[in-house]
Amino acid sequence: MTRTTHLDIVSAEHEIFSGVVEMVVATGELGEIGITAGHAPLLTILKPGEVRITLPGGQQEIYYVQGGMLEIQPNCVTILADVAERAEHLDEAAVLAAKAQAEAAMASKGGEMDYSVAAAELARAVAQIRAIQKVRKSIK
């Protein structure tokens, strides 16, 4: 019998997922972390990136989170995200435009946008593009 744990993914706007999962993979501040039932308690900051969940039976779902916190308790995992969205709902054209705009802002050093802000925007856009690509791979 497969061991499971409860997962909640919540953003400021709404709860995006609540249910039983076999595994959760998220990008913490020190890198990717894989979580299964019985994982040690942990509290960490999330970087913008994808959250992959494996449902009972092996089906995978991919979500995009834009920072936040990850809390692991003995029988529950909670993701409190600044922004959370199903990866398949991301607007690829808007993401590519945001990436191009951030790259242009970084290239023009005398521009109005601060370099660190442009770098953060670029990181978010790249993370969204990766999530979109993972969804495409899983559909094929």
Side-chain angles (χ1 to χ4, degrees):
M1 177 172 207
T2 305
R3 293 183 40 172
T4 60
T5 189
H6 185 82
L7 170 68
D8 289 313
I9 302 176
V10 181
S11 73
E13 292 86 33
H14 60 284
E15 178 179 81
I16 192 163
F17 179 88
S18 181
V20 176
V21 298
E22 290 180 4
M23 184 171 191
V24 179
V25 178
T27 305
E29 66 181 333
L30 297 177
E32 261 192 2
I33 181 169
I35 305 149
T36 57
H39 194 287
L42 175 73
L43 181 63
T44 188
I45 295 171
L46 288 174
K47 292 173 78 174
E50 65 186 58
V51 173
R52 294 186 313 270
I53 64 172
T54 304
L55 300 170
Q59 179 185 353
Q60 284 202 336
E61 292 183 5
I62 301 172
Y63 296 86
Y64 169 77
V65 296
Q66 187 173 306
M69 298 294 295
L70 169 73
E71 178 186 29
I72 304 170
Q73 292 296 321
N75 298 313
C76 183
V77 177
T78 305
I79 295 175
L80 302 171
D82 298 334
V83 174
E85 195 169 348
R86 286 179 152 287
E88 65 259 19
H89 294 162
L90 294 172
D91 182 354
E92 186 174 11
V95 170
L96 291 172
K99 179 179 180 272
Q101 184 179 8
E103 288 172 335
M106 290 176 69
S108 67
K109 299 191 191 279
E112 292 181 22
M113 184 179 260
D114 183 11
Y115 185 84
S116 61
V117 172
E121 289 293 325
L122 180 60
R124 279 192 286 274
V126 169
Q128 288 176 333
I129 290 168
R130 283 190 194 130
I132 291 168
Q133 290 170 343
K134 286 259 171 105
V135 168
R136 281 199 186 132
K137 274 186 176 179
S138 68
I139 291 173
K140 291 181 181 180

